[in-house]
Amino acid sequence: MATSVTSAESRGSLSSDLFYDILRRLDGATLASAACACEAFCSISKEEKLWENVCSSMWPSTNRDDVKSLISSIGGFKKFYADCFPLIVNKEVPECRWNEYLEYPEELTEAEYYGDMDEIEIVAPSDFVSIVDVRYKDKTICSKVLWGIPNANGFPHWFYSCPFRIDLFTYSTRDDEHAGEVTLSVSDGLPPITSMEKERKDGKLWQELRDGIRLSWIVVNTKIKQAANLSSWSPLGGQRHWPTDKDFLLRFGSVLPAKDILPCQAVECIVLMKFRVIYTEEGGVPTTLKLTELSMQVGDMEGAHLNGRNSLLVLKEALSCKRSKNYDEALESCQLYSKVQSELREEKMRNESRLDRLYILGGIMACITVCFYLW
Protein backbone atom coordinates (compact mmCIF):
# COMPACT_ATOMS: atom_id res chain seq x y z
CA MET A 1 0.00 0.00 0.00
CA ALA A 2 2.84 2.34 0.92
CA THR A 3 4.57 1.53 -2.37
CA SER A 4 1.40 2.34 -4.29
CA VAL A 5 1.02 5.74 -2.59
CA THR A 6 4.65 6.63 -3.23
CA SER A 7 4.28 5.68 -6.88
CA ALA A 8 1.19 7.87 -7.25
CA GLU A 9 2.92 10.84 -5.61
CA SER A 10 5.92 10.40 -7.90
CA ARG A 11 3.69 10.39 -10.97
CA GLY A 12 1.93 13.53 -9.73
CA SER A 13 5.24 15.31 -9.22
CA LEU A 14 6.51 14.13 -12.58
CA SER A 15 3.33 15.35 -14.29
CA SER A 16 3.67 18.82 -12.72
CA ASP A 17 7.26 19.11 -13.92
CA LEU A 18 6.29 18.01 -17.42
CA PHE A 19 3.32 20.37 -17.50
CA TYR A 20 5.50 23.28 -16.41
CA ASP A 21 8.10 22.45 -19.05
CA ILE A 22 5.39 22.39 -21.69
CA LEU A 23 3.70 25.62 -20.60
CA ARG A 24 6.93 27.60 -20.39
CA ARG A 25 7.43 27.07 -24.13
CA LEU A 26 4.10 28.66 -25.09
CA ASP A 27 3.39 32.22 -26.14
CA GLY A 28 1.03 34.37 -24.11
CA ALA A 29 -2.16 33.73 -26.06
CA THR A 30 -1.61 29.95 -26.11
CA LEU A 31 -0.70 29.92 -22.43
CA ALA A 32 -3.92 31.75 -21.56
CA SER A 33 -5.91 29.22 -23.60
CA ALA A 34 -4.12 26.27 -21.99
CA ALA A 35 -5.02 27.61 -18.54
CA CYS A 36 -8.67 26.96 -19.40
CA ALA A 37 -8.03 23.34 -20.43
CA CYS A 38 -7.74 21.68 -17.04
CA GLU A 39 -7.23 22.37 -13.35
CA ALA A 40 -3.54 21.39 -13.43
CA PHE A 41 -2.77 23.80 -16.29
CA CYS A 42 -4.80 26.52 -14.59
CA SER A 43 -2.80 26.16 -11.39
CA ILE A 44 0.59 26.11 -13.09
CA SER A 45 -0.25 29.01 -15.41
CA LYS A 46 -0.51 31.30 -12.40
CA GLU A 47 3.26 31.12 -11.95
CA GLU A 48 4.71 34.59 -12.49
CA LYS A 49 7.89 33.15 -13.96
CA LEU A 50 5.92 31.79 -16.93
CA TRP A 51 4.49 35.22 -17.68
CA GLU A 52 7.85 36.86 -17.13
CA ASN A 53 9.25 34.60 -19.87
CA VAL A 54 6.32 35.48 -22.15
CA CYS A 55 6.82 39.23 -21.62
CA SER A 56 10.60 39.09 -22.07
CA SER A 57 10.13 37.15 -25.31
CA MET A 58 7.65 39.66 -26.69
CA TRP A 59 9.12 42.83 -25.17
CA PRO A 60 12.89 42.48 -24.54
CA SER A 61 12.87 45.76 -22.59
CA THR A 62 11.17 43.90 -19.74
CA ASN A 63 14.43 41.97 -19.16
CA ARG A 64 15.92 45.03 -17.49
CA ASP A 65 16.05 44.91 -13.69
CA ASP A 66 14.47 48.35 -13.28
CA VAL A 67 11.59 47.41 -15.59
CA LYS A 68 11.09 44.10 -13.74
CA SER A 69 10.74 46.03 -10.50
CA LEU A 70 8.30 48.41 -12.16
CA ILE A 71 6.12 45.58 -13.47
CA SER A 72 6.13 43.86 -10.08
CA SER A 73 4.98 47.11 -8.43
CA ILE A 74 1.95 47.48 -10.75
CA GLY A 75 0.62 43.95 -10.36
CA GLY A 76 3.06 41.49 -11.92
CA PHE A 77 3.86 40.11 -15.36
CA LYS A 78 0.55 38.32 -15.91
CA LYS A 79 -1.39 41.56 -15.43
CA PHE A 80 1.16 43.46 -17.51
CA TYR A 81 0.70 41.05 -20.43
CA ALA A 82 -3.09 41.17 -20.12
CA ASP A 83 -2.98 44.99 -20.24
CA CYS A 84 -0.42 45.45 -23.01
CA PHE A 85 -0.93 42.57 -25.46
CA PRO A 86 -4.42 43.66 -26.66
CA LEU A 87 -4.53 46.79 -28.82
CA ILE A 88 -6.57 49.87 -27.99
CA VAL A 89 -9.94 50.02 -29.74
CA ASN A 90 -12.10 53.15 -29.72
CA LYS A 91 -15.02 53.21 -32.14
CA GLU A 92 -16.81 56.06 -30.37
CA VAL A 93 -15.68 58.70 -32.85
CA PRO A 94 -18.36 61.40 -33.12
CA GLU A 95 -19.01 63.24 -36.39
CA CYS A 96 -17.66 66.76 -36.01
CA ARG A 97 -18.82 69.76 -38.00
CA TRP A 98 -16.23 72.35 -38.86
CA ASN A 99 -18.27 75.32 -37.66
CA GLU A 100 -18.92 73.58 -34.33
CA TYR A 101 -15.35 72.41 -33.79
CA LEU A 102 -13.67 74.81 -31.38
CA GLU A 103 -11.02 73.42 -29.09
CA TYR A 104 -10.62 76.57 -26.99
CA PRO A 105 -12.71 79.70 -26.41
CA GLU A 106 -11.52 82.86 -28.09
CA GLU A 107 -10.52 84.48 -24.80
CA LEU A 108 -8.94 82.57 -21.93
CA THR A 109 -8.07 83.62 -18.45
CA GLU A 110 -4.62 82.69 -17.13
CA ALA A 111 -6.12 79.91 -15.01
CA GLU A 112 -8.05 78.51 -18.00
CA TYR A 113 -5.01 78.73 -20.26
CA TYR A 114 -2.79 76.71 -17.96
CA GLY A 115 -5.61 74.40 -16.95
CA ASP A 116 -6.84 73.17 -13.61
CA MET A 117 -3.58 72.76 -11.69
CA ASP A 118 -5.21 70.53 -9.09
CA GLU A 119 -6.22 68.19 -11.89
CA ILE A 120 -2.76 68.31 -13.44
CA GLU A 121 -1.08 67.45 -10.15
CA ILE A 122 -3.02 64.18 -10.21
CA VAL A 123 -1.46 63.41 -13.62
CA ALA A 124 2.22 64.24 -13.18
CA PRO A 125 4.67 63.81 -16.10
CA SER A 126 7.02 61.89 -13.81
CA ASP A 127 4.37 59.19 -13.35
CA PHE A 128 4.71 57.96 -16.95
CA VAL A 129 7.22 55.40 -18.23
CA SER A 130 7.66 54.52 -21.92
CA ILE A 131 8.75 50.97 -22.80
CA VAL A 132 9.53 50.73 -26.51
CA ASP A 133 10.52 47.70 -28.59
CA VAL A 134 11.08 47.53 -32.36
CA ARG A 135 11.27 44.26 -34.27
CA TYR A 136 11.96 43.30 -37.84
CA LYS A 137 10.88 39.81 -38.88
CA ASP A 138 10.87 38.58 -35.26
CA LYS A 139 14.33 39.99 -34.58
CA THR A 140 14.61 42.76 -31.99
CA ILE A 141 16.50 45.74 -33.37
CA CYS A 142 15.75 48.38 -30.72
CA SER A 143 14.70 48.37 -27.05
CA LYS A 144 14.50 51.57 -25.03
CA VAL A 145 12.98 52.75 -21.76
CA LEU A 146 12.20 56.39 -20.94
CA TRP A 147 11.39 57.34 -17.36
CA GLY A 148 9.09 60.34 -17.14
CA ILE A 149 8.26 62.81 -19.91
CA PRO A 150 11.07 65.11 -21.08
CA ASN A 151 10.96 68.91 -20.76
CA ALA A 152 8.24 68.73 -18.12
CA ASN A 153 10.09 69.39 -14.86
CA GLY A 154 11.94 72.67 -15.27
CA PHE A 155 9.17 74.78 -16.81
CA PRO A 156 5.79 73.16 -16.11
CA HIS A 157 3.69 76.02 -17.52
CA TRP A 158 5.69 75.93 -20.74
CA PHE A 159 5.24 72.17 -21.00
CA TYR A 160 1.49 72.29 -20.34
CA SER A 161 0.84 74.92 -23.03
CA CYS A 162 3.29 73.82 -25.78
CA PRO A 163 2.79 70.94 -28.25
CA PHE A 164 3.43 67.58 -26.64
CA ARG A 165 6.13 65.40 -28.18
CA ILE A 166 8.38 62.56 -27.05
CA ASP A 167 11.46 61.99 -29.19
CA LEU A 168 12.84 58.69 -27.95
CA PHE A 169 16.31 58.96 -29.43
CA THR A 170 16.84 62.45 -28.07
CA TYR A 171 15.73 61.88 -24.51
CA SER A 172 16.31 58.18 -23.78
CA THR A 173 18.90 57.44 -21.11
CA ARG A 174 22.50 57.50 -22.25
CA ASP A 175 23.42 54.36 -20.34
CA ASP A 176 20.89 52.36 -22.35
CA GLU A 177 22.45 49.14 -23.64
CA HIS A 178 20.97 49.90 -27.07
CA ALA A 179 22.20 53.50 -27.13
CA GLY A 180 24.20 52.98 -30.34
CA GLU A 181 22.95 53.30 -33.91
CA VAL A 182 20.00 51.12 -34.87
CA THR A 183 20.44 49.67 -38.34
CA LEU A 184 18.93 47.04 -40.62
CA SER A 185 20.95 45.27 -43.30
CA VAL A 186 20.84 42.35 -45.71
CA SER A 187 21.91 40.04 -42.87
CA ASP A 188 18.65 40.96 -41.08
CA GLY A 189 16.57 39.97 -44.10
CA LEU A 190 16.51 43.18 -46.16
CA PRO A 191 16.56 42.61 -49.92
CA PRO A 192 19.76 43.88 -51.59
CA ILE A 193 19.31 46.72 -54.07
CA THR A 194 21.81 47.89 -56.64
CA SER A 195 20.62 51.48 -57.00
CA MET A 196 18.02 53.93 -55.74
CA GLU A 197 16.81 54.28 -59.32
CA LYS A 198 15.77 50.63 -59.34
CA GLU A 199 14.23 50.95 -55.87
CA ARG A 200 12.09 53.86 -57.08
CA LYS A 201 10.67 51.62 -59.81
CA ASP A 202 9.96 48.36 -57.99
CA GLY A 203 9.85 49.54 -54.34
CA LYS A 204 10.97 46.13 -53.09
CA LEU A 205 12.98 47.47 -50.17
CA TRP A 206 10.14 49.77 -49.07
CA GLN A 207 7.59 46.94 -49.24
CA GLU A 208 9.78 44.54 -47.24
CA LEU A 209 10.34 47.17 -44.56
CA ARG A 210 6.67 48.05 -44.28
CA ASP A 211 5.58 44.40 -44.08
CA GLY A 212 8.30 43.25 -41.68
CA ILE A 213 8.59 46.03 -39.09
CA ARG A 214 6.75 45.83 -35.75
CA LEU A 215 6.56 48.45 -33.01
CA SER A 216 5.33 48.33 -29.42
CA TRP A 217 5.14 51.57 -27.41
CA ILE A 218 3.90 50.74 -23.92
CA VAL A 219 3.06 53.56 -21.52
CA VAL A 220 2.90 52.83 -17.79
CA ASN A 221 1.45 55.13 -15.14
CA THR A 222 3.16 54.29 -11.86
CA LYS A 223 0.64 56.17 -9.74
CA ILE A 224 -2.55 54.46 -10.92
CA LYS A 225 -0.64 51.21 -11.70
CA GLN A 226 -1.97 50.79 -15.23
CA ALA A 227 -0.31 50.18 -18.60
CA ALA A 228 -1.31 50.06 -22.28
CA ASN A 229 0.28 49.67 -25.69
CA LEU A 230 -0.34 52.89 -27.65
CA SER A 231 1.09 51.53 -30.88
CA SER A 232 -0.76 49.60 -33.57
CA TRP A 233 2.00 46.94 -33.67
CA SER A 234 1.97 46.96 -37.50
CA PRO A 235 2.20 50.20 -39.54
CA LEU A 236 -1.07 51.98 -40.22
CA GLY A 237 0.49 53.70 -43.19
CA GLY A 238 3.69 55.12 -44.54
CA GLN A 239 5.37 56.96 -47.34
CA ARG A 240 8.68 57.48 -49.02
CA HIS A 241 10.14 60.90 -48.34
CA TRP A 242 10.69 62.02 -51.91
CA PRO A 243 12.62 65.28 -51.28
CA THR A 244 15.58 63.33 -49.87
CA ASP A 245 14.75 60.13 -51.80
CA LYS A 246 16.37 58.03 -49.09
CA ASP A 247 13.97 58.34 -46.12
CA PHE A 248 11.13 55.93 -45.37
CA LEU A 249 8.46 57.18 -42.96
CA LEU A 250 6.22 54.70 -41.11
CA ARG A 251 3.17 55.71 -39.09
CA PHE A 252 1.81 53.75 -36.12
CA GLY A 253 -0.70 54.71 -33.43
CA SER A 254 -4.16 54.33 -31.98
CA VAL A 255 -7.38 56.26 -31.42
CA LEU A 256 -7.71 57.45 -27.82
CA PRO A 257 -10.82 58.69 -25.99
CA ALA A 258 -10.86 62.38 -25.04
CA LYS A 259 -14.34 62.68 -23.57
CA ASP A 260 -14.66 65.60 -21.09
CA ILE A 261 -11.17 66.70 -22.17
CA LEU A 262 -11.67 68.03 -25.72
CA PRO A 263 -14.77 68.88 -27.77
CA CYS A 264 -13.82 66.35 -30.46
CA GLN A 265 -14.01 63.55 -27.81
CA ALA A 266 -11.46 61.40 -29.67
CA VAL A 267 -7.83 62.02 -30.62
CA GLU A 268 -5.07 60.12 -32.36
CA CYS A 269 -1.84 58.91 -30.82
CA ILE A 270 0.72 59.35 -33.61
CA VAL A 271 3.93 57.31 -33.48
CA LEU A 272 6.37 58.07 -36.29
CA MET A 273 9.38 55.99 -37.31
CA LYS A 274 11.86 57.12 -39.94
CA PHE A 275 14.52 55.00 -41.64
CA ARG A 276 17.26 56.36 -43.89
CA VAL A 277 19.07 54.40 -46.59
CA ILE A 278 22.84 54.39 -46.02
CA TYR A 279 25.63 52.75 -47.98
CA THR A 280 27.44 49.57 -47.07
CA GLU A 281 31.11 48.94 -47.69
CA GLU A 282 30.42 46.40 -50.41
CA GLY A 283 30.67 48.43 -53.57
CA GLY A 284 28.60 51.30 -52.21
CA VAL A 285 25.31 49.40 -52.57
CA PRO A 286 22.51 50.96 -50.46
CA THR A 287 21.39 47.84 -48.61
CA THR A 288 21.49 49.19 -45.05
CA LEU A 289 18.85 51.27 -43.27
CA LYS A 290 19.43 53.45 -40.22
CA LEU A 291 16.63 54.30 -37.76
CA THR A 292 16.83 58.10 -37.44
CA GLU A 293 13.57 59.02 -35.70
CA LEU A 294 11.13 57.44 -33.26
CA SER A 295 8.65 59.90 -31.79
CA MET A 296 5.17 60.11 -30.32
CA GLN A 297 2.59 62.93 -30.40
CA VAL A 298 -1.14 63.31 -29.86
CA GLY A 299 -3.23 65.03 -32.55
CA ASP A 300 -6.82 66.24 -32.69
CA MET A 301 -9.38 65.99 -35.49
CA GLU A 302 -8.00 69.03 -37.30
CA GLY A 303 -4.47 67.63 -37.26
CA ALA A 304 -3.18 70.02 -34.59
CA HIS A 305 -0.91 68.58 -31.91
CA LEU A 306 -2.26 68.64 -28.37
CA ASN A 307 -0.42 70.55 -25.66
CA GLY A 308 1.20 68.90 -22.66
CA ARG A 309 -1.77 69.43 -20.34
CA ASN A 310 -4.36 67.77 -22.58
CA SER A 311 -1.96 65.05 -23.67
CA LEU A 312 -1.34 63.95 -20.08
CA LEU A 313 -5.07 63.77 -19.41
CA VAL A 314 -5.65 61.78 -22.63
CA LEU A 315 -2.82 59.34 -21.83
CA LYS A 316 -4.25 58.74 -18.38
CA GLU A 317 -7.70 57.96 -19.83
CA ALA A 318 -6.18 55.69 -22.49
CA LEU A 319 -4.77 53.32 -19.86
CA SER A 320 -8.27 52.19 -18.90
CA CYS A 321 -10.07 52.17 -22.25
CA LYS A 322 -11.36 49.22 -24.28
CA ARG A 323 -8.89 46.84 -25.99
CA SER A 324 -9.00 43.86 -28.32
CA LYS A 325 -6.73 41.00 -29.37
CA ASN A 326 -8.16 41.29 -32.88
CA TYR A 327 -5.82 43.45 -34.97
CA ASP A 328 -8.49 43.97 -37.63
CA GLU A 329 -10.78 45.51 -35.03
CA ALA A 330 -8.06 47.93 -33.94
CA LEU A 331 -7.37 48.79 -37.58
CA GLU A 332 -11.07 49.41 -38.18
CA SER A 333 -11.05 51.86 -35.27
CA CYS A 334 -8.21 53.84 -36.84
CA GLN A 335 -9.86 53.78 -40.28
CA LEU A 336 -13.08 55.15 -38.81
CA TYR A 337 -11.17 58.01 -37.22
CA SER A 338 -9.38 58.76 -40.51
CA LYS A 339 -12.70 58.78 -42.36
CA VAL A 340 -14.29 61.29 -39.96
CA GLN A 341 -11.12 63.38 -40.03
CA SER A 342 -11.12 63.45 -43.85
CA GLU A 343 -14.80 64.48 -43.91
CA LEU A 344 -14.05 67.29 -41.46
CA ARG A 345 -11.11 68.46 -43.57
CA GLU A 346 -13.21 68.42 -46.76
CA GLU A 347 -16.01 70.38 -45.08
CA LYS A 348 -13.49 72.93 -43.83
CA MET A 349 -12.06 73.34 -47.35
CA ARG A 350 -15.56 73.81 -48.80
CA ASN A 351 -16.43 76.45 -46.21
CA GLU A 352 -13.15 78.25 -46.75
CA SER A 353 -13.77 78.17 -50.51
CA ARG A 354 -17.19 79.75 -49.98
CA LEU A 355 -15.69 82.45 -47.81
CA ASP A 356 -13.04 83.15 -50.42
CA ARG A 357 -15.70 83.56 -53.08
CA LEU A 358 -17.69 85.89 -50.82
CA TYR A 359 -14.60 88.01 -50.16
CA ILE A 360 -13.82 88.20 -53.87
CA LEU A 361 -17.43 89.06 -54.71
CA GLY A 362 -17.48 91.67 -51.96
CA GLY A 363 -14.29 93.23 -53.30
CA ILE A 364 -15.71 93.37 -56.83
CA MET A 365 -18.93 94.98 -55.61
CA ALA A 366 -16.97 97.55 -53.59
CA CYS A 367 -14.85 98.35 -56.64
CA ILE A 368 -17.94 98.73 -58.85
CA THR A 369 -19.58 100.99 -56.28
CA VAL A 370 -16.54 103.26 -56.05
CA CYS A 371 -16.21 103.44 -59.81
CA PHE A 372 -19.93 104.26 -60.14
CA TYR A 373 -19.70 107.22 -57.76
CA LEU A 374 -16.50 108.47 -59.38
CA TRP A 375 -18.09 108.30 -62.80
Side-chain angles (χ1 to χ4, degrees), residues 132-135 141-142 169 182 184 206 209 213-217 231 233 235 237-239 247-252 270-276 290-296:
V132 183
D133 291 283
V134 182
R135 286 186 169 189
I141 62 172
C142 179
F169 286 154
V182 179
L184 279 173
W206 163 239
L209 177 66
I213 204 72
R214 298 291 181 268
L215 169 66
S216 174
W217 190 307
S231 176
W233 191 241
Q239 63 184 25
D247 289 329
F248 298 151
L249 187 66
L250 295 169
R251 183 186 181 100
F252 302 77
I270 305 167
V271 181
L272 294 179
M273 177 188 297
K274 183 184 288 187
F275 282 91
R276 173 165 294 177
K290 176 183 176 182
L291 183 58
T292 59
E293 179 184 338
L294 188 52
S295 62
M296 189 254 283

Side-chain angles (χ1 to χ4, degrees), residues 232-269:
S232 51
W233 191 241
S234 298
L236 296 173
Q239 63 184 25
R240 302 176 61 172
H241 196 231
W242 295 113
T244 61
D245 204 34
K246 295 182 180 179
D247 289 329
F248 298 151
L249 187 66
L250 295 169
R251 183 186 181 100
F252 302 77
S254 55
V255 179
L256 309 180
K259 190 175 181 180
D260 300 327
I261 301 175
L262 295 173
C264 58
Q265 300 184 29
V267 296
E268 182 182 17
C269 177

